Amino acid sequence: MRLYKNIIIGIVSSLIIAAVSTFPVFASENFTTDVIVEPSLTVTIPSGPLNLNLDPSSTTSGSNNLTITVGTNNATGYKTIMTSQSGNTDLVETTDNTLTIPTLASGSYSSPSDFPANHWGYKKDSGSYIPFAINTTILESDTYANDDTTTLSFATKIDYLQASGTYKTTLVFTTTVNPLTPYIQNLDPTLCTTTPLTVLDKRDGEEYTVQRLADGNCWLLDNLRLDISDPAVQAKLNSTTTNATDTSLGYLKNGGGSSPYPANGVIAKTASSGSWADDYTNPYIATQYEDTTQPASGSSPAGKIGIYYNFCAASAGSYCYVANTSSGDATQDICPAGWRMPTGGASGEYQALYTAYSSNVANFQASLSTPLSGYFGSGSAILQGSVSFFWSSTFYDGYSMYDLRVSSSEIHPQFRDYRYYGFLVRCILNDSRTISDITNMQDITPGIVSRTADGATATLKDIRDGQEYTVAKINGNVWMTRNLAIGCNGSRSTYGSTITPKTLTNINSNISDPTWTTPTNSLTLGNDYADPRMECSSTYGAWYNYAAASAGTITGFTNTNAPNDICPAGWRLPVRAEFGTNSTFLTPFTTIDGGVWRGGVITLSNYGCWWSSTSAGVTSSYNMYWNGGSSSAIGADSDVRLNGIYVRCIAK
């Protein structure tokens, strides 16, 4: 008579939606409502038990498979954990719980036949068989997931010494969506706006704030607090989480390298461990002030000091040259993947940011949130409360790199210091997008403009009404090459002929007031200086008087430049000096006729005109004109503001 041992692994699927967001929707003055948004989560797990019928008359082994599929629209992903319902890692006989088959004690095995007798284990996909452990993560993602799949293989090996019977365990698979706070490593550049955003670092779970500042770049507004001496952090330092290669990170963690890699691993210094030597070749950090808040001092904001890093550490072990032998900029660092240390020097990003804030110390410090945290150099922090230093990636000489020096009264964006000092680290989003990589007019940034090559073109959508506009980079600027038609009833690439007022906001438009509504009055009512008026054309787009083109900021008689306009956010009316003045401008600008509205359309053929923001006197503003009928030339002119002419915007 042949006896079988029946091995049963039961499966239980537990789905948990763990994140809920509430968004206020403003419907009227006295009415608000809440919209509860739950991330979608789909999990597919076969419901039946997995059975293995094994013959104990001789040593035998067997396996069976289970495939799990997970999908979610949650931007920060999910995690699926496998555990045992009983909390026990053994398979237990169903009629006699003193009889068990334990899981593998340790190690990994390519085949169940290699197991020690009377043990069980599992493997994922094509991996090796390993011991079963309580609360094991078997699937996870930190971004959207579309049918992520894994196959688990459960196996056992028994011999005649194992008592016959049915052995069983019940597995529970729990899938939860991750918190909605995005990971900094996965941050979509379009999510970084002029409003501060909270993000998480995958490597240690630290929370930071990021924001797009006046230079158009997305900046980290906190000092980096990554403890690269912590083994738990080191386990997560790799090229998918950090702006460095696995080779550099290996030497950072373990040492063993030669110039430009460190001979030793990370050296954590404290006040009691003595002065930092003039060591260029090994990574030093000081962690004792990591979570200390530096109080506000003068115009300096309060904030966490963070960790001090010498340059060998800040560069993730990639720039650890001996004194006076280095050259070139650092291309790797300890910033999160997708981010990097800013550039320094005269053409660097610190200088560009300072310039963007008109070299105003208080505004610069407030924007970048720079507590005056000093530096680390003689076994302790020095000059705390009076000055602060931030590494850049830019080479100065064989001993030094450029850095940013901030005091309560001065900003030095082109400072330089020895690489063995312990300075702070800030990061900037390594945004590589050009106009071909964005979808909406409102996605434009100065960085996108600067990275776009002259002659490049794209078609972008205005999110205010869905109209699509061709754009091109011409002589260093990105221009609309199709006439604006906001306030008309067009659709996508088709102009509309009927005035359809749109309410603009200071989020989607180049206005400072919270809202402004495009004209309801037509130019057919008569020309006017004070009342915003427009006219729509299914052929040419829209004509706007200046009160309309300036979004109501220039009305009546005034010799004032327009501070705002009806362009999309990130765009503006050009100034007179930006007009093209030669024939090479004509083709990329895509000139169009259509004339000017002066009591009606005049000079319809071979003539076009576009407003600027520059005043030409108390009644006029400058415009750019094209007169294809006479000279095929483009140039500057002026027109009285009560007339209706076109608008084409230029990226800021």
Side-chain angles (χ1 to χ4, degrees):
M1 177 178 177
R2 178 169 291 181
L3 299 177
Y4 287 89
K5 297 179 174 66
N6 185 28
I7 313 299
I8 300 177
I9 302 175
I11 308 300
V12 176
S13 171
S14 174
L15 309 185
I16 300 176
I17 298 292
V20 176
S21 294
T22 302
F23 300 92
V25 176
F26 301 100
S28 68
E29 182 180 356
N30 298 315
F31 175 75
T32 61
T33 185
D34 289 338
V35 177
I36 307 300
V37 180
E38 294 187 350
S40 70
L41 183 64
T42 59
V43 181
T44 303
I45 301 176
S47 58
L50 304 178
N51 293 300
L52 304 177
N53 293 308
L54 303 179
D55 182 356
S57 60
S58 61
T59 301
T60 185
S61 61
S63 65
N64 210 336
N65 297 336
L66 170 70
T67 298
I68 299 175
T69 301
V70 180
T72 182
N73 68 349
N74 185 42
T76 57
Y78 70 92
K79 180 180 287 188
T80 298
I81 295 174
M82 176 177 65
T83 189
S84 167
Q85 190 177 65
S86 65
N88 190 343
T89 61
D90 295 341
L91 302 178
V92 180
E93 212 282 321
T94 56
T95 60
D96 182 356
N97 60 15
T98 65
L99 300 176
T100 63
I101 300 176
T103 190
L104 298 167
S106 61
S108 60
Y109 303 86
S110 59
S111 169
S113 62
D114 299 326
F115 288 10
N118 305 318
H119 286 77
W120 78 285
Y122 81 101
K123 71 174 183 177
K124 279 186 61 177
D125 301 318
S126 59
S128 298
Y129 286 95
I130 58 176
F132 173 77
I134 303 296
N135 296 330
T136 300
T137 299
I138 61 161
L139 265 179
E140 63 181 328
S141 171
D142 50 31
T143 186
Y144 306 103
N146 183 20
D147 295 337
D148 287 354
T149 298
T150 189
T151 297
L152 303 179
S153 298
F154 297 92
T156 188
K157 176 181 176 181
I158 63 170
D159 63 16
Y160 66 93
L161 295 177
Q162 185 68 41
S164 297
T166 298
Y167 293 81
K168 177 180 178 180
T169 189
T170 299
L171 302 180
V172 178
F173 294 87
T174 303
T175 301
T176 61
V177 292
N178 293 329
L180 289 177
T181 302
Y183 289 107
I184 190 171
Q185 285 89 347
N186 298 111
L187 187 65
D188 184 332
T190 62
L191 296 180
C192 187
T193 67
T194 54
T195 300
L197 175 69
T198 300
V199 295
L200 295 175
D201 191 333
K202 287 182 186 180
R203 301 170 293 184
D204 57 4
E206 282 285 338
E207 195 172 87
Y208 295 100
T209 301
V210 299
Q211 186 176 356
R212 197 170 295 280
L213 300 181
D215 63 341
N217 287 313
C218 184
W219 288 80
L220 185 66
L221 300 189
D222 305 278
N223 298 336
L224 197 65
R225 301 188 294 276
L226 185 73
D227 184 357
I228 55 177
S229 68
D230 183 345
V233 172
Q234 290 187 354
K236 296 184 179 181
L237 293 181
N238 56 60
S239 57
T240 66
T241 64
T242 308
N243 184 39
T245 65
D246 290 328
T247 297
S248 295
L249 291 168
Y251 288 123
L252 176 74
K253 293 181 282 188
N254 304 311
S258 57
S259 181
Y261 301 115
N264 300 308
V266 179
I267 303 170
K269 305 293 285 185
T270 65
S272 62
S273 63
S275 301
W276 284 20
D278 295 350
D279 190 343
Y280 293 80
T281 62
N282 287 299
Y284 287 83
I285 67 172
T287 62
Q288 64 266 40
Y289 302 98
E290 177 179 353
D291 293 315
T292 301
T293 297
Q294 177 66 45
S297 174
S299 59
S300 169
K304 286 186 177 180
I305 293 175
I307 292 177
Y308 299 97
Y309 307 87
N310 73 352
F311 200 77
C312 178
S315 67
S318 69
Y319 205 99
C320 303
Y321 297 92
V322 297
N324 204 28
T325 61
S326 59
S327 64
D329 300 335
T331 59
Q332 302 177 56
D333 51 60
I334 55 172
C335 289
W339 296 69
R340 56 177 171 77
M341 286 195 297
T343 54
S347 60
E349 286 153 337
Y350 284 131
Q351 178 63 60
L353 182 64
Y354 188 42
T355 301
Y357 284 101
S358 303
S359 303
N360 183 287
V361 174
N363 290 347
F364 179 91
Q365 288 199 23
S367 67
L368 202 54
S369 301
T370 51
L372 301 182
S373 307
Y375 69 99
F376 202 89
S378 299
S380 63
I382 303 169
L383 297 178
Q384 282 185 331
S386 61
V387 70
S388 204
F389 299 85
F390 302 87
W391 285 123
S392 86
S393 61
T394 305
F395 173 82
Y396 177 72
D397 65 18
Y399 300 91
S400 305
M401 306 299 284
Y402 279 105
D403 58 79
L404 166 69
R405 182 183 186 274
V406 179
S407 73
S408 59
S409 59
E410 294 180 298
I411 305 292
H412 296 280
Q414 301 178 42
F415 221 64
R416 56 267 188 187
D417 279 290
Y418 294 126
R419 297 192 304 274
Y420 60 76
Y421 283 130
F423 287 174
L424 302 168
V425 168
R426 289 292 179 91
C427 304
I428 190 170
L429 182 64
N430 194 23
D431 190 347
S432 61
R433 295 174 301 161
T434 68
I435 58 172
S436 63
D437 299 310
I438 61 176
T439 301
N440 303 317
M441 296 286 289
Q442 287 81 355
D443 294 337
I444 200 77
T445 68
I448 290 173
V449 173
S450 65
R451 288 187 295 272
T452 298
D454 260 1
T457 62
T459 299
L460 305 177
K461 182 177 73 174
D462 188 341
I463 63 175
R464 301 175 296 180
D465 62 357
Q467 274 280 327
E468 294 177 344
Y469 296 97
T470 53
V471 302
K473 189 166 185 181
I474 309 169
N475 297 343
N477 292 312
V478 174
W479 289 81
M480 289 175 57
T481 55
R482 182 171 181 258
N483 293 342
L484 189 70
I486 188 71
C488 300
N489 66 330
S491 175
R492 298 191 63 179
S493 59
T494 302
Y495 285 135
S497 58
T498 303
I499 292 177
T500 307
K502 295 289 296 183
T503 297
L504 314 183
T505 72
N506 55 12
I507 302 299
N508 62 31
S509 304
N510 188 37
I511 62 175
S512 55
D513 291 337
T515 62
W516 188 80
T517 301
T518 60
T520 57
N521 287 336
S522 169
L523 287 166
T524 59
L525 298 177
N527 297 337
D528 197 284
Y529 284 101
D531 183 38
R533 296 183 182 182
M534 63 180 290
E535 186 63 27
C536 298
S537 166
S538 59
T539 302
Y540 302 111
W543 295 276
Y544 302 92
N545 70 359
Y546 207 72
S550 67
T553 59
I554 301 296
T555 58
F557 305 100
T558 176
N559 190 7
T560 306
N561 296 335
N564 295 132
D565 50 62
I566 56 174
C567 293
W571 300 74
R572 57 174 172 78
L573 288 176
V575 299
R576 181 188 180 188
E578 291 166 329
F579 290 162
T581 57
N582 56 63
S583 58
T584 61
F585 194 90
L586 289 170
T587 300
F589 188 73
T590 317
T591 49
I592 187 172
D593 53 24
V596 178
W597 191 288
R598 294 175 183 157
V601 179
I602 65 171
T603 60
L604 180 62
S605 178
N606 296 321
Y607 192 82
C609 216
W610 297 269
W611 283 122
S612 82
S613 62
T614 308
S615 174
V618 296
T619 61
S620 302
S621 287
Y622 284 102
N623 59 61
M624 180 167 56
Y625 75 90
W626 171 66
N627 189 347
S630 60
S631 61
S632 296
I634 197 161
D637 200 353
S638 64
D639 216 321
V640 289
R641 299 192 192 103
L642 52 75
N643 293 328
I645 65 176
Y646 302 136
V647 166
R648 288 193 188 179
C649 306
I650 188 172
K652 291 184 176 179

